[in-house]
Amino acid sequence: MAADRAPENPYLAARREWSERYGSYVQSARAWRIVGILGLTMAVIGFSYAMYLSTQVKLVPYIVEVDKLGTSVTVGFPEQIEYADSRVVRATLGNFVTSFRSITPDAVVQKQYIDRTYALLRTSDPSTQKINSWFRGNSPFEKAKTSTVAIEVNNIVALSNQTYQVDWTEYERDRKGKETGTRRFRGIATVSLTAPQDESTIRLNPIGLYVRDFDWTAQL
């Protein structure tokens, strides 16, 4: 006959019961504590890296809006554009010639053309004196009473990083719309770039391009 089984130690039984009941909770709490520490560490590293990137930003936002007439309207101050960006310079020169030479019977639009022309001129530059002289002897408002002039810019070529050749065609029509003449012109423009410093200048000359000198002649 087998001997009776010895009674179990109550202290050992209690310890085993505690381990089974609470051990899983202790392990879970330890795991969540590790997760929390890792999360905090990652957050600190991410914030520090974001602060570092904020000090390394080299791009400057430049926002340009265009209205229904195609006029550039911008907010903020642009950085100076390098002469190497000839596409922007050519486009601006094309708009300059169009504004300078176009004639329309709408006095409001004609005034806008003149404003856009002078937005690219500075008082001290030779181009301003030449264009002033032209307008004194050839008032677009007077000519608009009998005819209109439409401009087509045919070609703009960079002769250097500051000098450009502009070829354009002028189509003259009477007030009934009949074409009365076609003439071709060639102009030589010397430009400079100076970042504008006030809102009114930015609206008409957002890239800060100024025509320092401008000569033009009719082509046979």
Side-chain angles (χ1 to χ4, degrees):
M1 181 175 172
D4 292 337
R5 188 176 180 180
E8 185 176 8
N9 189 320
Y11 297 103
L12 294 177
R15 181 176 180 181
R16 183 169 59 252
E17 179 69 18
W18 186 92
S19 298
E20 292 177 354
R21 180 174 301 179
Y22 298 105
S24 60
Y25 295 108
V26 173
Q27 292 177 357
S28 178
R30 183 182 299 113
W32 280 111
R33 189 158 51 245
I34 294 173
V35 170
I37 293 173
L38 290 175
L40 180 61
T41 302
M42 293 177 65
V44 171
I45 293 174
F47 178 76
S48 300
Y49 185 65
M51 291 295 294
Y52 169 76
L53 289 180
S54 68
T55 63
Q56 301 299 311
V57 174
K58 301 299 183 183
L59 297 178
V60 178
Y62 180 44
I63 302 173
V64 178
E65 298 178 2
V66 180
D67 63 16
K68 295 180 180 179
L69 297 177
T71 304
S72 297
V73 180
T74 182
V75 294
F77 296 94
E79 294 294 323
Q80 183 162 338
I81 298 176
E82 297 295 334
Y83 285 111
D85 195 353
S86 58
R87 292 174 300 175
V88 178
V89 175
R90 288 199 302 268
T92 304
L93 281 176
N95 291 333
F96 170 78
V97 170
T98 300
S99 298
F100 171 38
R101 302 291 292 184
S102 293
I103 295 177
T104 174
D106 189 324
V108 174
V109 176
Q110 187 64 59
K111 183 179 182 303
Q112 291 176 352
Y113 285 153
I114 295 174
D115 289 342
R116 292 175 195 169
T117 300
Y118 279 97
L120 273 66
L121 301 175
R122 294 177 295 196
T123 305
S124 59
D125 291 333
S127 57
T128 305
Q129 304 303 320
K130 295 175 182 179
I131 290 177
N132 283 344
S133 178
W134 167 262
F135 277 134
R136 281 195 295 267
N138 301 272
S139 171
F141 297 102
E142 289 297 321
K143 189 174 182 61
K145 294 178 181 179
T146 58
S147 61
T148 63
V149 176
I151 306 301
E152 179 184 356
V153 177
N154 306 119
N155 195 29
I156 302 177
V157 179
L159 303 180
S160 71
N161 65 343
Q162 297 184 34
T163 302
Y164 291 78
Q165 175 183 299
V166 185
D167 295 316
W168 72 91
T169 304
E170 298 186 359
Y171 300 95
E172 187 172 339
R173 296 179 175 86
D174 61 22
R175 291 299 299 270
K176 294 182 180 180
K178 181 181 179 180
E179 188 171 303
T180 58
T182 300
R183 294 182 296 173
R184 297 182 182 276
F185 288 83
R186 172 167 293 173
I188 303 297
T190 302
V191 303
S192 62
L193 288 166
T194 303
Q197 297 299 319
D198 61 83
E199 191 69 22
S200 60
T201 303
I202 288 175
R203 290 184 180 277
L204 292 175
N205 188 2
I207 71 170
L209 183 142
Y210 293 94
V211 180
R212 295 201 332 245
D213 202 359
F214 188 58
D215 292 293
W216 65 98
T217 56
Q219 301 293 294
L220 298 178

